[in-house]
Amino acid sequence: MTGGRLYARDAAALSDLQKLRFFPQEVTRGAGCHLYDSEGREFLDLAASWGAASLGYAHPEWVSRVYEALRTQAGATGLSSAIAPAVELGERLLRITPGGHDRCVWLGHSGSDANETVARSVVAATGRPRIISFIGAYHGGTEGSMAVSAHPVQAHAARDGGVTAVPFPDPLRPFAADPSGAALLEHIAGLLRTTSPGDEVAAFFIEPVQADGGLLIPPAGFLKGLAALCAKYGILTVCDEVKVGLGRTGRMHAFEHDDWTPDIVVFGKGLGGGIPVSAAVGPKAILNHATAFSMQTTHGNPISASAALAVLDVIERDGLAENAARSGSRLIACLRAALHGNFHVGDIRGRGLAIGIELVDEKGGAAALLARRAVYRAWEHGVIAYYVGTGSNVIELTPPLILSERQAENGATILAQAIDDACSGRVDDTKVAAFGGW
Ligand SMILES: *Cc1c(COP(=O)(O)O)cnc(C)c1O
């Protein structure tokens, strides 16, 4: 693996603790769906910086809103005064997020701090000590958000004795060989009757599409059934929309596909379009539990809030959820056509512009090396994508929501060729050795 001077300086100066799929790529500029390196090479970014660049790079509308917020800087913290853009963002999120009447919004910097805050608040406010989440879930990289996650990459994390993890429905490897999810629901119901008594459980953390776990899409009716089960015991449902929310799946909220309404919704990544901002929307009884209970100095700052307002404006004004549905279907159709007959492609699935390509070996097991080779090959040919999954074998596509159908077709062509190259041994394994991890 080779990289230029900037890459070497990064490796010398910046910590490995926050590196994941560290490509020999040097990014000096971005525009629309593209990133550019120091030599002016153009890359079509089908990852959108792990979903954060929801509007693509340097979207003019977003740039001018953020610039205006900087120019007129209305303070730097929401802790001790009412900041106009933060209030507007709170009102806006309440308006676009369905739910009961007595709700409010907590504003943070990242999916991690928002999930951690929710986990802390639900336990404190309800007095119930337990939380349930899914195996394969990724809810963040801070201690409290890691504690409610159950992704193998975080097997080193401090565990919280009150957290129980249950399997997530996996289309290729269904629990108890029941693809409908009914057997899994019955299993969870059994836990609530026995070892995780329902009246001791404060909340159930749910990714509506389990992204880092392998872009897993629950079977129809599963989440609705789960929400009904939770309601029976007064367990709060927490929907983590950090990666797949806000238009990405073709609807404003990913949970809308499954006909249920969460009690608490968490937003992050794409909410800021590249500027750190997150939000939790939920009952006042939980999110107003106490003052000064979960805060950081620049939470609610006007720059982050304005970035989020610009993102929400552009998503609504330009119909980006509809665009995600259209371009996502195109992307999936092109990938399926191009990869038809490649037996290493176990599944191509998605909702809108949240897409997973699962690579398998001869026995149907996870083929992590193929995923690693394929994303490297794609990068060599100008397309950026990363891979996820508890078996590190699912190529994840979360492009900017502005991706055109034409760009979807071009991206699919290059990616499919890269996957074919990976499967037929045309990629140098010494070059991909550095992309391990989940
Ligand atoms: C990325 C992610 C998080 C954590 O967000 P950060 O911005 O990395 O703190 C939480 N939940 C999900 C589903 C995510 O994909």
Side-chain angles (χ1 to χ4, degrees):
M1 187 172 76
T2 55
R5 207 172 120 59
L6 186 61
Y7 188 74
R9 280 168 56 203
D10 181 303
L14 299 181
S15 165
D16 278 352
L17 291 181
Q18 49 193 191
K19 288 189 163 69
L20 176 64
R21 319 265 181 269
F22 192 47
F23 279 75
Q25 174 169 17
E26 305 183 335
V27 179
T28 51
R29 193 168 74 77
C33 293
H34 295 100
L35 288 173
Y36 298 85
D37 74 6
S38 34
E39 272 132 49
R41 269 188 76 199
E42 182 180 86
F43 297 87
L44 177 65
D45 187 0
L46 296 183
S49 296
W50 292 96
S54 46
L55 303 183
Y57 300 101
H59 191 287
E61 200 84 17
W62 179 83
V63 169
S64 69
R65 285 289 279 276
V66 171
Y67 175 73
E68 189 57 18
L70 285 165
R71 212 180 51 77
T72 60
Q73 197 178 3
T77 172
L79 301 192
S80 305
S81 50
I83 302 287
V87 173
E88 202 186 320
L89 177 58
E91 290 170 347
R92 182 71 169 269
L93 288 170
L94 285 172
R95 208 159 55 236
I96 65 168
T97 311
H101 289 299
D102 258 352
R103 293 177 307 151
C104 62
V105 178
W106 177 95
L107 294 177
H109 289 327
S110 68
S112 304
D113 68 4
N115 280 318
E116 175 158 338
T117 293
V118 171
R120 196 187 308 165
S121 307
V122 291
V123 169
T126 65
R128 296 179 176 200
R130 295 176 187 274
I131 285 176
I132 303 183
S133 62
F134 284 106
I135 294 170
Y138 186 89
H139 295 297
T142 59
E143 190 150 330
S145 57
M146 286 167 103
V148 294
S149 303
H151 197 286
V153 76
Q154 296 181 330
H156 62 284
R159 289 284 130 220
D160 178 334
V163 177
T164 303
V166 299
F168 192 87
D170 182 331
L172 290 196
R173 301 167 187 83
F175 180 84
D178 172 16
S180 79
L184 181 52
L185 269 183
E186 194 36 57
H187 171 72
I188 295 169
L191 289 180
L192 295 176
R193 285 193 300 269
T194 56
T195 53
S196 302
D199 58 3
E200 292 181 13
V201 178
F204 208 126
F205 274 69
I206 299 162
E207 284 175 86
V209 171
Q210 194 182 71
D212 287 315
L215 222 292
L216 304 177
I217 297 171
F222 178 79
L223 292 182
K224 189 177 180 179
L226 183 62
L229 187 57
C230 289
K232 188 172 138 190
Y233 291 99
I235 298 169
L236 294 160
T237 49
V238 180
C239 187
D240 181 346
E241 296 259 331
V242 169
K243 194 184 259 180
V244 297
L246 299 176
R248 175 159 300 288
T249 62
R251 305 264 180 92
M252 184 53 101
H253 305 293
F255 62 77
E256 290 172 45
H257 293 271
D258 292 297
D259 189 25
W260 63 296
T261 305
D263 295 301
I264 299 174
V265 183
V266 178
F267 300 106
K269 287 198 172 84
L271 176 62
I275 287 205
V277 58
S278 62
V281 182
K284 285 184 174 164
I286 305 297
L287 297 180
N288 281 346
H289 168 64
T291 56
F293 185 78
S294 179
M295 57 178 183
Q296 293 172 31
T297 308
T298 49
H299 277 173
N301 77 76
I303 317 303
S304 296
S306 298
L309 285 167
V311 165
L312 296 175
D313 277 349
V314 174
I315 288 174
E316 286 188 358
R317 186 199 65 191
D318 294 351
L320 293 188
E322 294 77 10
N323 186 68
R326 224 171 15 245
S327 291
S329 301
R330 193 82 207 108
L331 192 41
I332 288 185
C334 291
L335 286 168
R336 285 192 178 141
L339 291 165
H340 179 76
N342 182 334
F343 71 91
H344 283 298
V345 178
D347 197 15
I348 300 174
R349 52 183 175 256
R351 275 183 180 158
L353 286 173
I355 296 169
I357 307 164
E358 175 152 1
L359 299 178
V360 297
D361 60 23
E362 292 74 5
K363 295 185 185 126
L369 179 60
L370 292 184
R372 211 184 298 175
R373 286 180 188 158
V375 294
Y376 183 80
R377 184 60 143 196
W379 173 76
E380 285 187 316
H381 289 277
V383 164
I384 297 173
Y386 306 121
Y387 58 95
V388 296
T390 54
S392 299
N393 65 320
V394 180
I395 299 175
E396 178 187 80
L397 308 180
T398 53
L401 304 179
I402 58 169
L403 190 82
S404 70
E405 287 187 82
R406 185 70 186 278
Q407 287 169 325
E409 287 162 14
N410 293 343
T413 304
I414 292 172
L415 198 53
Q417 183 61 54
I419 291 169
D420 279 336
D421 287 353
C423 295
S424 51
R426 286 195 290 268
V427 182
D428 180 351
D429 279 341
T430 61
K431 289 188 172 170
V432 304
F435 306 138
W438 101 63

